[in-house]
């Protein structure tokens, strides 16, 4: 299937590793021009090297997403370099795992606000696209008990609500907004690889709760995201797509 991504432009925040890195590579392989940013220059440079063989335009920069002006400036710079923006996704995330003021503030500054600021900055460019797509990244921690009382789960639930509201507000402008809700995802440079190697009891307990008997592979999730973001999925907006191997037990109405 031709997803219609060739020549499209994607701006990806926090795509220097993990799921974001997988999505950047998948989109580039489909011929989509890609802009990425991340906190670490070495990681950004590594992803750039992986993308360049695809023959697409790549723009990249290391930045601190907790700086209020950094993400909006990058979005505008990236749209200028790529010639617009058809797809916007923010992958930045943090999970201190503690129900404290500092924990809440960390997630707001690292995860929620970079997403909101990026969407706002991308809006003038998305409005000019004939296939504009916003994807917000949530987590099954928002819908299933996971690691007790902590702000990460609550704020990821807020992401679902935010994406749904965006979809209603922007549909008339031809801009789609959907939410992706992954369960545990295995990427070679992601948190679950660390958990597997250093927190074996917790890893095995989580694995035992996944009916498929394995974690979602990062490439599998990236292909799902690429499809949802693409013009091939042009009628879908306001959806919450759960990708978790059956980890979530609720009926997905």
């Amino acid at each position: 299937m031709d997803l219609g991504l060739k020549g499209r432009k994607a701006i990806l925040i926090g795509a220097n590793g993990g799921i974001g890195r997988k999505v950047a590579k998948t989109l580039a392989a489909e011929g989509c021009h890609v802009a990425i940013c991340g906190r670490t220059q070495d990681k950004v440079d590594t992803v750039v090297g992986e993308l360049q063989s695809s023959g697409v335009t790549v723009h990249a920069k290391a930045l601190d997403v907790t700086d209020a002006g950094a993400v909006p400036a990058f979005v505008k710079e990236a749209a200028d370099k790529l010639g617009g923006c058809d797809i916007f996704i923010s992958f930045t995330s943090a999970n201190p795992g503690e129900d404290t003021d500092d924990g809440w503030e960390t997630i707001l500054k690292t995860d929620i606000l970079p997403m909101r600021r990026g969407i706002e900055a991308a809006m003038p460019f998305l409005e000019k696209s004939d296939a504009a797509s916003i994807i917000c990244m949530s987590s099954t921690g928002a819908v299933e008990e996971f690691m007790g009382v902590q702000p990460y789960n609550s704020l990821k639930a807020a992401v679902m609500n935010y994406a749904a509201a965006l979809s209603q507000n922007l549909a008339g402008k031809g801009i789609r907004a959907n939410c992706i809700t992954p369960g545990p995802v295995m990427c070679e440079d992601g948190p679950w690889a660390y958990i597997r190697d250093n927190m074996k009891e917790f890893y095995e307990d989580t694995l035992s709760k996944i009916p498929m008997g394995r974690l979602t592979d990062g490439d599998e999730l990236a292909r799902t995201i690429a499809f949802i973001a693409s013009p091939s999925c042009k009628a879908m907006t306001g959806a919450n797509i759960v990708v978790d191997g059956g980890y979530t037990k609720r009926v997905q109405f």
Side-chain angles (χ1 to χ4, degrees), residues 84-95:
C85 177
D86 301 296
I87 298 166
F88 177 86
I89 315 173
S90 179
F91 297 96
T92 63
S93 189
N95 186 6

Side-chain angles (χ1 to χ4, degrees), residues 138-139 142-143 155-165 179 181 240 250:
S138 185
S139 165
V143 297
L155 289 172
K156 282 302 189 181
V159 170
M160 294 180 188
N161 186 283
Y162 185 65
C179 186
T181 297
N240 177 40
R250 65 174 186 168

Side-chain angles (χ1 to χ4, degrees), residues 7-253:
R8 296 291 177 180
K9 299 103 177 177
I11 298 178
L12 311 177
I13 308 302
N16 66 330
I19 296 169
R21 177 186 180 186
K22 295 287 190 180
V23 171
K25 292 170 68 174
T26 299
L27 291 176
E30 292 289 330
C32 185
H33 306 301
V34 177
I36 67 163
C37 67
R39 181 173 54 189
T40 307
Q41 187 67 56
D42 288 348
K43 288 186 175 181
V44 169
D45 291 343
T46 296
V47 179
V48 170
E50 293 171 339
L51 299 179
Q52 285 179 331
S53 62
S54 299
V56 300
T57 300
V58 179
H59 176 68
K61 189 173 187 177
L63 54 85
D64 179 3
V65 298
T66 65
D67 177 346
V71 170
F74 173 75
V75 169
K76 293 172 184 176
E77 179 183 299
D80 180 61
K81 297 290 185 181
L82 298 183
C85 177
D86 301 296
I87 298 166
F88 177 86
I89 315 173
S90 179
F91 297 96
T92 63
S93 189
N95 186 6
E98 56 186 40
D99 184 23
T100 64
D101 282 1
D102 285 345
W104 283 84
E105 289 177 5
T106 293
I107 297 168
L108 281 168
K109 290 178 180 178
T110 306
D111 189 321
I112 307 301
L113 290 176
M115 175 191 67
R116 194 213 67 80
R117 292 166 181 154
I119 291 171
E120 182 178 58
M123 200 57 61
F125 308 103
L126 292 168
E127 288 176 345
K128 295 176 182 177
S129 171
D130 63 353
S133 176
I134 297 167
I135 289 184
C136 299
M137 298 298 297
S138 185
S139 165
T140 52
V143 297
E144 290 278 324
E145 192 287 324
F146 184 66
M147 295 179 66
V149 179
Q150 56 169 316
Y152 179 82
N153 297 339
S154 298
L155 289 172
K156 282 302 189 181
V159 170
M160 294 180 188
N161 186 283
Y162 185 65
L166 280 175
S167 72
Q168 292 295 307
N169 190 54
L170 300 176
K173 297 181 179 181
I175 302 172
R176 298 186 299 116
N178 291 291
C179 186
I180 301 289
T181 297
V185 177
M186 181 58 70
C187 298
E188 62 271 16
D189 58 351
W192 281 99
Y194 176 86
I195 292 169
R196 177 196 60 200
D197 297 338
N198 297 277
M199 303 167 66
K200 187 172 182 180
E201 185 176 347
F202 176 61
Y203 176 82
E204 293 294 340
D205 180 64
T206 302
L207 185 62
S208 71
K209 297 174 182 176
I210 302 175
M212 282 191 173
R214 64 178 179 84
L215 273 64
T216 300
D217 180 77
D219 290 313
E220 293 174 324
L221 179 60
R223 289 191 289 270
T224 300
I225 292 172
F227 172 66
I228 302 302
S230 78
S232 291
C233 202
K234 215 167 183 178
M236 181 184 285
T237 194
N240 177 40
I241 299 93
V242 178
V243 186
D244 67 354
Y247 182 70
T248 302
K249 305 303 185 288
R250 65 174 186 168
V251 177
Q252 307 291 353
F253 287 113

